[in-house]
Amino acid sequence: MEQQLKKPELLAPAGNLEKLKFAIHYGADAVYIGGQQFGLRSKAGNFTFEEMKEGVDFANQYGAKVYVATNIIAHNENLVGAQAYFKKLYEVGISAVIAADPALIQACRQAAPDLEVHISTQASIANWKTVEFWKNEGIPRVVLAREVSVQEIKEMKEKVDIEIEAFVHGAMCISYSGRCVLSNHMTARDANRGGCAQSCRWKYDLFEDGIDDDAAISEQADEDYTMSAQDLSMVEHLPDLIEAGVDSLKIEGRMKSIHYVATVVNVYRKIIDSYFDSPDQFELNPEWVDEIWKAAQRSLSTAFYYNEPTHRDQLYGKPERIPKFDFAGLVLDYDEQTQIATIQQRNNFGVGDEVEFFGPNFYHFKQTITELWNEKGEPIDRAKHAMMITKIKVDQPLNYYDMMRKQK
């Protein structure tokens, strides 16, 4: 008898409390966040314990989980307070921590033995024997290195009974599993302790080795060279990862915008649910791919999942022209009788602009703004002020937390 496929968890990034709520509202089964210690995104809107508690309470209303990244490579001074930190995470209701350093894993187990530990992608797990090692250590889930293939994942699942989490969308690091030393060397900001300066995305001149000449080879090119990879996207190949047995499909991007989080989660939620509604008849809807490009910041690639990446998976030369969209407004209310929506402004918009409304479960429609009022009901031409409350005549019904965007 053929084994029935298990629907994977959709795991989304949440750089702050507002992004957490959007991610869950738009379909994430779980979110991962950073606290104010031990995480690799020091510039993200990292959570206080009070914000974590509010996030956990919100997630519980939707049956979702909250994980905390504690994935730095720790130096001696970084270990101070670790046990107290993990104990507090358990007390506020965090479902699991994501860690790579054995010292932090040990600290968590000593201070909060009932708090799950997931092994971070920073541990560079790329073979089934390493997966087996962590299972024997009592770890319930590993986050794979981004350098593994679909075939390697299948072998891991066949040989080891453990949950596997794999990235499906977002930025790729040019260093192996994010173990970067460029940032530290060039800026004294340690990427392995949360200070990445994204040195690989800078533009560089290229010189020929051994030639004593100030003229850079790259001056002959249309664009300076970078060491930057295209972003990962498995939006067109998600069934391959589901059928390989991946238990959690992870979206990268705790530093990304609310528009990015909501859009990407919405698409992957739709694909997962559509596939499980009818696996044998599943077909990819081109609209789902088009939607992903509305949130894309760079060209997209399948990275290591099918072949070793080549120069085609790098960013060089003239960048691909990608349409840019602004998160223009958040729907706060909708009146069925008048067909007027109350919108909180997030970016400048006004009468005559074509906008697109979208919401969970891939609800979309476009229209031109023909009538616009301020909070007092006075007619205005543009919503110029940040977070101002406006009212718009809309063509179709809307719901709280639907979003309005506008092409730049």
Side-chain angles (χ1 to χ4, degrees), residues 177-203:
S177 290
R179 294 186 173 198
C180 176
V181 294
L182 276 178
S183 177
N184 208 336
H185 175 72
M186 293 181 172
T187 68
R189 286 170 50 180
D190 191 344
N192 299 298
R193 288 193 281 176
C196 179
Q198 301 218 4
S199 307
C200 61
R201 303 215 187 272
W202 300 352
K203 294 181 179 180

Side-chain angles (χ1 to χ4, degrees), residues 125-149:
I125 299 170
N127 65 80
W128 74 266
K129 290 295 288 185
T130 302
V131 175
E132 185 179 61
F133 167 84
W134 286 115
K135 177 179 172 58
N136 291 339
E137 288 293 310
I139 295 297
R141 179 187 292 191
V142 296
V143 188
L144 298 183
R146 300 185 208 196
E147 294 79 17
V148 301
S149 68

Side-chain angles (χ1 to χ4, degrees), residues 26-37:
Y26 276 76
D29 299 303
V31 294
Y32 61 101
I33 67 174
Q36 306 206 328
Q37 292 176 272

Side-chain angles (χ1 to χ4, degrees), residues 345 347-351 372 380-386 388 390:
Q345 189 260 35
N347 266 295
N348 189 312
F349 65 88
V351 173
L372 178 63
I380 56 175
D381 290 329
R382 300 205 69 78
K384 300 178 181 179
H385 306 298
M388 71 181 291
T390 66

Side-chain angles (χ1 to χ4, degrees), residues 142-170:
V142 296
V143 188
L144 298 183
R146 300 185 208 196
E147 294 79 17
V148 301
S149 68
V150 173
Q151 192 57 44
E152 287 172 320
I153 295 173
K154 287 181 181 178
E155 186 173 2
M156 292 172 186
K157 288 296 294 185
E158 288 167 0
K159 293 186 174 180
V160 189
D161 182 18
I162 193 173
E163 287 189 1
I164 281 182
E165 183 178 306
F167 283 93
V168 295
H169 199 91

